[in-house]
């Protein structure tokens, strides 16, 4: 146990910061010190931004995204293609896809993936809501943007089976060579998927 170098208020700030993803105890100390040094420029605005976000954050009842309005900004955006729903496990995945700016549809956040080992079943995820959205007349395609893990693919298969009689095309992300990837470093599973899903040049 490291000895305290500051009063309990600052130690508490460091402790809370160390719980953020990507920040260990050392970087939390560095972050805390940076905030303290930039009290007016950073710490004050951050504290009020946290307070405002805390009061206003809601989960979109349509898609499961996190926003300060319900329906969320994505759901009400008229420029988005209403015929495409991109299915993701987590809000982080939605934000990642939005950052990449590669798809102009709307989303559906499942809240996780099926995982029998961890006791996560269909009732724990937003699957019923997805199935009823997929039956909407305007929806033409469901893109399953799920992790290329056993749980992710199990979830993809489960959803695909539930939608067999729906008038909607179900697609999934391609598996294979990552952009900038070198074949020599790829595992057999990735190479095999890349060969199977090869496309016409
Ligand atoms: Zn939404």
């Amino acid at each position: 146990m490291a000895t305290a170098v500051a009063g309990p208020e600052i130690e508490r700030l460091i402790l809370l910061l160390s719980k953020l993803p990507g920040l260990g105890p050392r970087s939390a100390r560095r972050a805390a010190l940076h905030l303290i040094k930039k009290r007016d420029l950073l710490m004050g605005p951050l504290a009020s931004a946290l307070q405002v976000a805390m009061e206003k954050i809601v989960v979109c009842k349509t898609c499961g995204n996190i926003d300060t309005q319900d329906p969320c900004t994505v759901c009400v955006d008229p420029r988005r293609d209403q015929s495409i729903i991109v299915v993701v496990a987590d809000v982080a995945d939605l934000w990642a896809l939005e950052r990449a700016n590669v798809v102009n549809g709307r989303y559906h956040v499942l809240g996780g993936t099926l995982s029998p080992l961890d006791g996560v079943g269909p009732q724990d995820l937003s699957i019923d809501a997805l199935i009823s959205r997929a039956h909407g007349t305007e929806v033409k395609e469901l893109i399953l943007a799920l992790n290329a893990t056993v749980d992710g693919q199990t979830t993809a298969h489960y959803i695909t089976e539930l939608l067999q009689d729906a008038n909607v095309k179900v697609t999934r992300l391609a598996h294979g060579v990552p952009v900038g990837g070198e074949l020599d470093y790829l595992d057999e599973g990735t190479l095999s998927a890349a060969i199977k899903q090869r496309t016409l040049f």
Side-chain angles (χ1 to χ4, degrees), residues 60 62-65 72 75:
C60 174
T62 308
C63 75
N65 188 16
C72 71
C75 281

Side-chain angles (χ1 to χ4, degrees), residues 10 14 16 32 35 42-43 50 53 58 99 114 118 127-128 144 149-150 156 164 168 175 178-179 186 188 198:
I10 293 175
I14 295 168
L16 288 170
L35 284 171
L42 199 55
M43 201 175 196
L50 283 171
V58 284
R99 217 170 41 235
L114 294 174
D118 297 322
I127 289 182
D128 287 349
L144 300 174
T149 57
V150 172
Q164 260 171 2
V168 63
H175 297 170
V179 174
L186 298 182
E188 289 80 5
R198 65 189 183 279

Side-chain angles (χ1 to χ4, degrees), residues 61-64 83-89 106-112 114 122 125-146 155-163 166-171:
K61 288 193 188 72
T62 308
C63 75
S83 71
I84 297 174
I85 295 179
V86 186
V87 181
V88 291
R106 288 179 301 159
Y107 291 87
H108 191 90
V109 181
L110 293 174
L114 294 174
L125 305 176
S126 176
I127 289 182
D128 287 349
L130 170 65
I131 302 305
S132 72
R133 280 185 79 190
H135 280 89
T137 47
E138 77 279 15
V139 180
K140 300 277 179 279
E141 181 178 2
L142 220 67
I143 303 176
L144 300 174
L146 299 169
T155 311
H157 281 291
Y158 183 81
I159 291 170
T160 308
E161 281 188 11
L162 289 179
L163 287 169
N167 189 23
V168 63
K169 182 166 79 171
V170 182
T171 58

Side-chain angles (χ1 to χ4, degrees), residues 3 29 38 47 66 72-73 77 81-82 95 99-101 114-116 136 139 151 156 158 170 183 196:
T3 45
R29 275 186 192 281
K38 305 259 177 190
I66 291 172
C72 71
T73 312
D77 185 348
D81 188 343
Q82 306 283 312
W95 289 5
R99 217 170 41 235
N101 197 20
L114 294 174
S115 178
V139 180
D151 288 349
Y158 183 81
V170 182
L183 296 193
K196 279 188 197 139

